Amino acid sequence: MSIEQLAETALAMVAPGKGIIAIDESNATCKKRFDGVGIECTEETRRAYRELLLTAPKLGDYISGAILFDETIRQSTKDGVPFTKVMMDNGILPGIKVDKGTFPLAGFPGEVVTEGLDGLRARLEEYYKLGARFAKWRAVINISDETPSGTCIDANTHALARYAALCQEQGLVPMVEPEVIMDGSHDLDTCYDVTEVTLRSLFASLHEHNVMLEGTILKASMVISGTTSAEQASVEEVAAATLHCLKATVPATLPGIVFLSGGQSDLAATSHLNAMNQMGPKPWPLSFSYGRAMQQAALKLWAQDMVGNYAAAQQTVYERARDNGLAALGEWKA
Ligand code: 13P
Protein backbone atom coordinates (compact mmCIF):
# COMPACT_ATOMS: atom_id res chain seq x y z
CA MET A 1 0.00 0.00 0.00
CA SER A 2 1.47 3.37 -1.00
CA ILE A 3 1.40 6.40 1.22
CA GLU A 4 -0.62 8.12 -1.53
CA GLN A 5 -3.43 5.58 -1.15
CA LEU A 6 -3.40 5.87 2.64
CA ALA A 7 -3.42 9.66 2.35
CA GLU A 8 -6.35 9.50 -0.05
CA THR A 9 -8.36 7.40 2.43
CA ALA A 10 -7.42 9.71 5.30
CA LEU A 11 -8.53 12.79 3.35
CA ALA A 12 -11.83 11.10 2.41
CA MET A 13 -12.47 10.46 6.12
CA VAL A 14 -12.34 14.19 6.84
CA ALA A 15 -13.95 15.44 3.61
CA PRO A 16 -15.52 18.89 4.10
CA GLY A 17 -18.78 18.71 6.04
CA LYS A 18 -18.45 14.99 6.77
CA GLY A 19 -17.47 12.96 9.81
CA ILE A 20 -17.43 9.49 11.30
CA ILE A 21 -20.06 7.56 13.23
CA ALA A 22 -18.54 5.31 15.90
CA ILE A 23 -20.65 2.16 16.36
CA ASP A 24 -17.79 -0.03 17.53
CA GLU A 25 -19.05 -0.74 21.04
CA SER A 26 -17.76 -4.07 22.31
CA ASN A 27 -20.54 -6.51 23.27
CA ALA A 28 -20.04 -5.54 26.93
CA THR A 29 -20.34 -1.81 26.22
CA CYS A 30 -23.30 -2.42 23.89
CA LYS A 31 -25.01 -4.31 26.72
CA LYS A 32 -24.49 -1.31 28.99
CA ARG A 33 -26.12 1.02 26.42
CA PHE A 34 -28.98 -1.44 25.73
CA ASP A 35 -29.55 -2.03 29.47
CA GLY A 36 -29.91 1.74 29.87
CA VAL A 37 -32.94 1.77 27.55
CA GLY A 38 -34.33 -1.68 28.36
CA ILE A 39 -33.29 -3.63 25.25
CA GLU A 40 -32.08 -7.20 25.56
CA CYS A 41 -28.52 -7.47 24.19
CA THR A 42 -28.23 -10.45 21.84
CA GLU A 43 -26.34 -10.98 18.61
CA GLU A 44 -29.60 -10.38 16.72
CA THR A 45 -30.60 -7.16 18.55
CA ARG A 46 -27.08 -5.81 18.06
CA ARG A 47 -27.28 -6.68 14.35
CA ALA A 48 -30.74 -5.16 13.94
CA TYR A 49 -29.66 -1.96 15.69
CA ARG A 50 -26.51 -1.59 13.59
CA GLU A 51 -28.63 -2.20 10.46
CA LEU A 52 -30.94 0.63 11.50
CA LEU A 53 -27.98 2.98 11.82
CA LEU A 54 -26.06 1.95 8.70
CA THR A 55 -29.13 2.01 6.43
CA ALA A 56 -30.46 5.38 7.61
CA PRO A 57 -31.49 7.16 4.37
CA LYS A 58 -28.96 9.71 3.07
CA LEU A 59 -26.54 9.07 5.95
CA GLY A 60 -23.68 9.24 3.44
CA ASP A 61 -24.44 12.94 2.83
CA TYR A 62 -22.71 13.72 6.14
CA ILE A 63 -20.93 10.52 7.13
CA SER A 64 -17.63 9.51 5.51
CA GLY A 65 -16.96 6.40 7.58
CA ALA A 66 -18.25 4.16 10.35
CA ILE A 67 -16.19 2.31 12.94
CA LEU A 68 -17.41 -1.24 13.42
CA PHE A 69 -16.80 -3.95 16.01
CA ASP A 70 -15.40 -7.37 15.02
CA GLU A 71 -18.86 -8.97 15.18
CA THR A 72 -20.46 -6.20 13.09
CA ILE A 73 -18.00 -6.23 10.18
CA ARG A 74 -19.01 -9.87 9.58
CA GLN A 75 -22.79 -9.17 9.69
CA SER A 76 -25.36 -8.43 7.00
CA THR A 77 -28.77 -6.78 6.69
CA LYS A 78 -31.84 -8.95 7.28
CA ASP A 79 -31.98 -9.28 3.47
CA GLY A 80 -28.47 -10.71 3.41
CA VAL A 81 -26.46 -7.74 2.13
CA PRO A 82 -23.11 -7.47 3.97
CA PHE A 83 -22.90 -4.29 6.03
CA THR A 84 -19.61 -3.42 4.34
CA LYS A 85 -21.37 -3.47 0.93
CA VAL A 86 -24.23 -1.28 2.19
CA MET A 87 -21.64 1.17 3.44
CA MET A 88 -19.48 1.27 0.32
CA ASP A 89 -22.64 1.71 -1.84
CA ASN A 90 -23.45 4.79 0.24
CA GLY A 91 -19.94 6.24 0.19
CA ILE A 92 -19.25 5.28 3.81
CA LEU A 93 -15.77 3.82 4.47
CA PRO A 94 -15.70 0.76 6.73
CA GLY A 95 -13.51 1.15 9.81
CA ILE A 96 -12.77 -1.36 12.55
CA LYS A 97 -11.91 -1.18 16.24
CA VAL A 98 -8.80 -3.34 16.69
CA ASP A 99 -7.78 -2.82 20.30
CA LYS A 100 -8.81 -5.39 22.92
CA GLY A 101 -9.75 -2.89 25.58
CA THR A 102 -8.01 -1.55 28.67
CA PHE A 103 -6.38 -3.47 31.52
CA PRO A 104 -4.91 -2.24 34.83
CA LEU A 105 -1.33 -1.05 34.38
CA ALA A 106 0.69 -3.15 36.83
CA GLY A 107 2.34 -1.04 39.51
CA PHE A 108 0.19 2.03 38.79
CA PRO A 109 -3.11 1.93 40.72
CA GLY A 110 -5.96 3.68 38.92
CA GLU A 111 -4.24 3.62 35.54
CA VAL A 112 -4.86 1.42 32.51
CA VAL A 113 -3.07 0.35 29.37
CA THR A 114 -4.71 -0.80 26.14
CA GLU A 115 -3.91 -4.30 24.94
CA GLY A 116 -4.29 -6.03 21.58
CA LEU A 117 -0.90 -5.99 19.84
CA ASP A 118 -0.40 -9.77 19.92
CA GLY A 119 -1.52 -11.20 16.59
CA LEU A 120 -2.55 -7.78 15.33
CA ARG A 121 -0.77 -8.08 11.95
CA ALA A 122 -2.85 -11.13 10.99
CA ARG A 123 -6.08 -9.55 12.26
CA LEU A 124 -5.43 -6.40 10.21
CA GLU A 125 -4.77 -8.50 7.12
CA GLU A 126 -8.15 -10.18 7.58
CA TYR A 127 -9.99 -6.92 8.27
CA TYR A 128 -8.58 -5.42 5.06
CA LYS A 129 -9.91 -8.42 3.15
CA LEU A 130 -13.30 -7.94 4.84
CA GLY A 131 -13.36 -4.36 3.50
CA ALA A 132 -11.97 -2.23 6.32
CA ARG A 133 -9.96 0.78 5.20
CA PHE A 134 -9.18 2.35 8.56
CA ALA A 135 -8.72 1.05 12.10
CA LYS A 136 -9.15 2.55 15.55
CA TRP A 137 -7.20 1.99 18.78
CA ARG A 138 -8.28 3.76 21.96
CA ALA A 139 -5.97 4.56 24.86
CA VAL A 140 -7.42 5.82 28.13
CA ILE A 141 -5.79 8.46 30.32
CA ASN A 142 -7.47 9.07 33.68
CA ILE A 143 -7.11 12.33 35.57
CA SER A 144 -7.04 12.33 39.38
CA ASP A 145 -4.86 13.90 42.08
CA GLU A 146 -2.33 11.09 41.55
CA THR A 147 -2.70 10.42 37.81
CA PRO A 148 -1.70 10.27 35.03
CA SER A 149 1.88 9.13 35.48
CA GLY A 150 4.41 9.65 32.70
CA THR A 151 4.84 5.88 32.63
CA CYS A 152 1.16 5.34 31.84
CA ILE A 153 1.16 7.95 29.10
CA ASP A 154 4.30 6.53 27.51
CA ALA A 155 3.12 2.90 27.72
CA ASN A 156 -0.11 3.87 25.96
CA THR A 157 1.44 6.04 23.25
CA HIS A 158 4.06 3.36 22.56
CA ALA A 159 1.23 0.85 21.94
CA LEU A 160 -0.58 3.38 19.75
CA ALA A 161 2.55 3.85 17.65
CA ARG A 162 3.12 0.11 17.23
CA TYR A 163 -0.52 -0.41 16.18
CA ALA A 164 -0.38 2.56 13.79
CA ALA A 165 2.75 1.27 12.06
CA LEU A 166 1.14 -2.18 11.63
CA CYS A 167 -2.01 -0.59 10.19
CA GLN A 168 -0.05 1.30 7.56
CA GLU A 169 1.91 -1.83 6.67
CA GLN A 170 -1.41 -3.62 6.06
CA GLY A 171 -3.01 -0.77 4.06
CA LEU A 172 -5.27 0.63 6.76
CA VAL A 173 -5.32 4.23 7.97
CA PRO A 174 -4.73 4.29 11.73
CA MET A 175 -7.16 6.43 13.72
CA VAL A 176 -5.12 7.00 16.87
CA GLU A 177 -7.28 7.79 19.89
CA PRO A 178 -5.69 8.90 23.15
CA GLU A 179 -8.80 9.68 25.22
CA VAL A 180 -8.27 11.93 28.23
CA ILE A 181 -11.30 10.97 30.32
CA MET A 182 -13.76 13.70 31.39
CA ASP A 183 -14.64 12.09 34.74
CA GLY A 184 -13.23 13.90 37.76
CA SER A 185 -13.29 17.19 39.62
CA HIS A 186 -10.30 18.67 37.75
CA ASP A 187 -10.49 22.04 36.03
CA LEU A 188 -9.99 23.04 32.40
CA ASP A 189 -6.29 23.91 32.90
CA THR A 190 -5.53 20.46 34.29
CA CYS A 191 -7.24 18.83 31.31
CA TYR A 192 -5.21 21.11 29.03
CA ASP A 193 -1.92 20.09 30.66
CA VAL A 194 -2.69 16.36 30.57
CA THR A 195 -3.89 16.52 26.95
CA GLU A 196 -0.79 18.48 25.93
CA VAL A 197 1.67 16.07 27.51
CA THR A 198 -0.25 13.08 26.06
CA LEU A 199 -0.25 14.47 22.53
CA ARG A 200 3.46 15.36 22.75
CA SER A 201 4.23 11.79 23.79
CA LEU A 202 1.97 10.40 21.05
CA PHE A 203 3.56 12.31 18.19
CA ALA A 204 7.07 11.56 19.49
CA SER A 205 6.18 7.82 19.54
CA LEU A 206 4.61 7.93 16.07
CA HIS A 207 7.79 9.56 14.78
CA GLU A 208 10.02 6.97 16.46
CA HIS A 209 8.00 4.17 14.83
CA ASN A 210 8.17 5.65 11.31
CA VAL A 211 4.42 6.23 11.14
CA MET A 212 3.55 8.43 8.17
CA LEU A 213 1.40 11.25 9.45
CA GLU A 214 -0.02 11.91 5.96
CA GLY A 215 -1.85 8.59 6.30
CA THR A 216 -2.96 8.96 9.93
CA ILE A 217 -6.03 10.48 11.60
CA LEU A 218 -6.07 11.70 15.21
CA LYS A 219 -9.18 11.01 17.27
CA ALA A 220 -8.90 13.51 20.10
CA SER A 221 -10.73 14.33 23.28
CA MET A 222 -11.63 17.97 23.87
CA VAL A 223 -10.01 20.11 26.55
CA ILE A 224 -12.95 20.34 28.91
CA SER A 225 -13.73 20.76 32.65
CA GLY A 226 -14.01 17.55 34.68
CA THR A 227 -17.60 16.34 34.93
CA THR A 228 -17.81 17.07 38.69
CA SER A 229 -15.74 20.26 38.64
CA ALA A 230 -17.53 23.15 40.38
CA GLU A 231 -16.49 25.44 37.56
CA GLN A 232 -17.69 24.40 34.10
CA ALA A 233 -15.93 26.15 31.20
CA SER A 234 -18.12 27.79 28.56
CA VAL A 235 -18.45 26.57 24.97
CA GLU A 236 -16.05 29.30 23.81
CA GLU A 237 -13.51 28.45 26.52
CA VAL A 238 -13.55 24.74 25.67
CA ALA A 239 -13.23 25.48 21.96
CA ALA A 240 -10.36 27.97 22.44
CA ALA A 241 -8.44 25.72 24.86
CA THR A 242 -8.84 22.65 22.66
CA LEU A 243 -7.75 24.47 19.52
CA HIS A 244 -4.75 26.02 21.30
CA CYS A 245 -3.66 22.66 22.69
CA LEU A 246 -3.95 20.95 19.29
CA LYS A 247 -2.08 23.75 17.49
CA ALA A 248 0.72 23.45 20.05
CA THR A 249 1.16 19.70 19.65
CA VAL A 250 -0.22 18.29 16.37
CA PRO A 251 1.91 18.58 13.20
CA ALA A 252 0.30 20.34 10.24
CA THR A 253 1.04 17.35 7.98
CA LEU A 254 -1.77 15.38 9.65
CA PRO A 255 -4.75 15.23 7.23
CA GLY A 256 -7.36 15.76 9.93
CA ILE A 257 -8.55 15.52 13.50
CA VAL A 258 -11.88 14.07 14.62
CA PHE A 259 -13.28 14.27 18.13
CA LEU A 260 -14.88 11.70 20.41
CA SER A 261 -17.88 12.84 22.42
CA GLY A 262 -16.80 11.15 25.65
CA GLY A 263 -20.07 11.57 27.54
CA GLN A 264 -20.90 15.12 26.42
CA SER A 265 -24.54 15.86 25.63
CA ASP A 266 -25.53 15.95 21.96
CA LEU A 267 -25.87 19.72 22.17
CA ALA A 268 -22.47 20.24 23.85
CA ALA A 269 -20.63 17.99 21.39
CA THR A 270 -22.10 19.82 18.39
CA SER A 271 -21.68 23.30 19.92
CA HIS A 272 -18.01 22.74 20.77
CA LEU A 273 -17.16 21.44 17.29
CA ASN A 274 -19.02 24.31 15.65
CA ALA A 275 -17.29 26.90 17.84
CA MET A 276 -13.83 25.54 17.02
CA ASN A 277 -14.57 25.66 13.32
CA GLN A 278 -15.65 29.29 13.62
CA MET A 279 -12.37 30.26 15.28
CA GLY A 280 -10.36 31.09 12.22
CA PRO A 281 -7.49 29.42 10.38
CA LYS A 282 -6.17 26.05 11.50
CA PRO A 283 -3.84 23.62 9.75
CA TRP A 284 -6.23 20.62 9.58
CA PRO A 285 -9.97 19.97 9.19
CA LEU A 286 -11.71 19.38 12.53
CA SER A 287 -14.61 16.97 12.42
CA PHE A 288 -16.36 14.35 14.53
CA SER A 289 -16.16 10.65 15.29
CA TYR A 290 -18.92 10.54 17.85
CA GLY A 291 -20.43 7.42 19.35
CA ARG A 292 -22.92 8.42 22.01
CA ALA A 293 -23.47 11.94 20.65
CA MET A 294 -24.48 10.43 17.31
CA GLN A 295 -26.56 7.54 18.59
CA GLN A 296 -28.13 8.14 21.97
CA ALA A 297 -31.30 9.92 20.78
CA ALA A 298 -31.95 7.33 18.06
CA LEU A 299 -31.37 4.41 20.42
CA LYS A 300 -33.85 5.82 22.92
CA LEU A 301 -36.54 6.20 20.24
CA TRP A 302 -35.98 2.71 18.86
CA ALA A 303 -36.16 1.22 22.35
CA GLN A 304 -39.61 2.72 22.88
CA ASP A 305 -41.07 1.01 19.80
CA MET A 306 -38.76 -1.02 17.56
CA VAL A 307 -41.24 -1.22 14.69
CA GLY A 308 -43.28 1.95 15.05
CA ASN A 309 -40.27 4.22 15.66
CA TYR A 310 -37.89 2.62 13.16
CA ALA A 311 -38.12 5.39 10.57
CA ALA A 312 -38.08 8.12 13.22
CA ALA A 313 -34.93 6.65 14.78
CA GLN A 314 -33.24 6.61 11.36
CA GLN A 315 -34.32 10.21 10.79
CA THR A 316 -32.85 11.14 14.19
CA VAL A 317 -29.45 9.66 13.43
CA TYR A 318 -29.52 11.42 10.04
CA GLU A 319 -30.25 14.73 11.79
CA ARG A 320 -27.37 14.21 14.24
CA ALA A 321 -25.10 13.54 11.23
CA ARG A 322 -26.36 16.66 9.47
CA ASP A 323 -25.93 18.89 12.54
CA ASN A 324 -22.42 17.61 13.21
CA GLY A 325 -21.56 17.83 9.50
CA LEU A 326 -22.58 21.50 9.55
CA ALA A 327 -20.58 21.99 12.78
CA ALA A 328 -17.54 20.55 10.98
CA LEU A 329 -17.87 23.57 8.67
CA GLY A 330 -18.71 26.02 11.46
CA GLU A 331 -22.12 26.50 9.85
CA TRP A 332 -24.39 24.89 12.43
CA LYS A 333 -27.10 27.00 14.06
CA ALA A 334 -28.82 25.92 17.27
P1 13P B 1 -18.06 8.49 22.29
O1 13P B 1 -18.25 9.58 21.26
O2 13P B 1 -19.33 7.94 22.83
O3 13P B 1 -17.06 8.90 23.34
O4 13P B 1 -17.41 7.25 21.54
C1 13P B 1 -16.42 7.46 20.61
C2 13P B 1 -15.50 6.33 20.60
O5 13P B 1 -15.31 5.70 19.60
C3 13P B 1 -14.77 6.03 21.82
O6 13P B 1 -13.73 5.15 21.56
Side-chain angles (χ1 to χ4, degrees):
M1 181 67 52
S2 69
I3 181 59
E4 285 78 17
Q5 282 166 298
L6 288 169
E8 196 181 313
T9 300
L11 285 170
M13 290 164 68
V14 290
K18 290 192 182 189
I20 311 280
I21 181 169
I23 59 167
D24 60 326
E25 298 83 6
S26 65
N27 290 349
T29 302
C30 192
K31 180 167 173 7
K32 233 190 288 172
R33 307 270 187 266
F34 278 16
D35 283 350
V37 292
I39 298 173
E40 198 192 346
C41 190
T42 65
E43 185 173 348
E44 177 49 25
T45 55
R46 290 192 294 270
R47 192 209 60 75
Y49 176 57
R50 267 71 182 251
E51 175 170 352
L52 179 154
L53 296 172
L54 292 172
T55 61
K58 295 188 292 172
L59 194 67
D61 289 358
Y62 299 104
I63 294 294
S64 57
I67 317 171
L68 309 176
F69 183 57
D70 179 77
E71 175 183 270
T72 320
I73 199 171
R74 304 168 194 281
Q75 288 176 324
S76 302
T77 65
K78 63 180 178 319
D79 297 331
V81 185
F83 283 158
T84 48
K85 175 161 170 36
V86 173
M87 294 168 71
M88 293 307 271
D89 288 350
N90 289 303
I92 298 174
L93 287 163
I96 181 79
K97 182 230 294 291
V98 299
D99 66 71
K100 298 263 184 162
T102 60
F103 294 82
L105 181 65
F108 292 83
E111 301 199 272
V112 293
V113 65
T114 302
E115 296 192 0
L117 289 170
D118 287 359
L120 182 58
R121 176 177 276 127
R123 289 199 290 129
L124 292 171
E125 200 180 341
E126 188 199 7
Y127 287 138
Y128 186 91
K129 286 188 191 137
L130 287 169
R133 290 297 174 266
F134 68 98
K136 187 195 93 171
W137 178 289
R138 172 174 174 259
V140 167
I141 306 296
N142 289 312
I143 301 182
S144 70
D145 287 347
E146 288 82 37
T147 67
S149 64
T151 307
C152 174
I153 290 172
D154 290 346
N156 274 293
T157 60
H158 178 258
L160 276 163
R162 285 193 56 200
Y163 126 88
L166 281 164
C167 283
Q168 293 191 331
E169 179 194 271
Q170 295 301 321
L172 292 142
V173 170
M175 177 189 268
V176 293
E177 180 183 16
E179 176 172 1
V180 177
I181 299 292
M182 281 166 59
D183 296 347
S185 56
H186 54 273
D187 59 12
L188 187 78
D189 290 348
T190 304
C191 184
Y192 184 104
D193 292 345
V194 171
T195 306
E196 179 179 25
V197 81
T198 301
L199 291 173
R200 283 202 197 294
S201 170
L202 174 64
F203 284 97
S205 291
L206 293 175
H207 177 68
E208 279 165 24
H209 287 257
N210 288 338
V211 174
M212 297 172 284
L213 294 186
E214 295 85 344
T216 302
I217 294 289
L218 171 66
K219 177 157 174 166
S221 44
M222 296 183 196
V223 175
I224 195 165
S225 314
T227 41
T228 56
S229 169
E231 216 171 290
Q232 290 293 315
S234 68
V235 169
E236 283 66 33
E237 285 167 336
V238 169
T242 304
L243 206 48
H244 193 275
C245 188
L246 292 171
K247 280 184 177 172
T249 54
V250 181
T253 40
L254 200 81
I257 301 173
V258 293
F259 292 100
L260 58 96
S261 58
Q264 295 183 38
S265 69
D266 291 4
L267 180 63
T270 304
S271 304
H272 289 142
L273 179 61
N274 195 56
M276 279 185 260
N277 278 306
Q278 287 183 337
M279 280 180 177
K282 48 197 168 34
W284 357 249
L286 294 179
S287 189
F288 60 95
S289 174
Y290 296 155
R292 283 162 286 180
M294 275 295 300
Q295 297 180 48
Q296 54 205 0
L299 177 62
K300 221 166 146 186
L301 261 181
W302 186 59
Q304 285 161 7
D305 184 349
M306 287 191 182
V307 178
N309 283 352
Y310 196 87
Q314 288 195 316
Q315 175 66 17
T316 300
V317 76
Y318 168 79
E319 285 170 9
R320 290 301 299 139
R322 181 198 60 203
D323 287 0
N324 289 315
L326 289 170
L329 300 170
E331 291 173 5
W332 174 75
K333 286 184 182 58

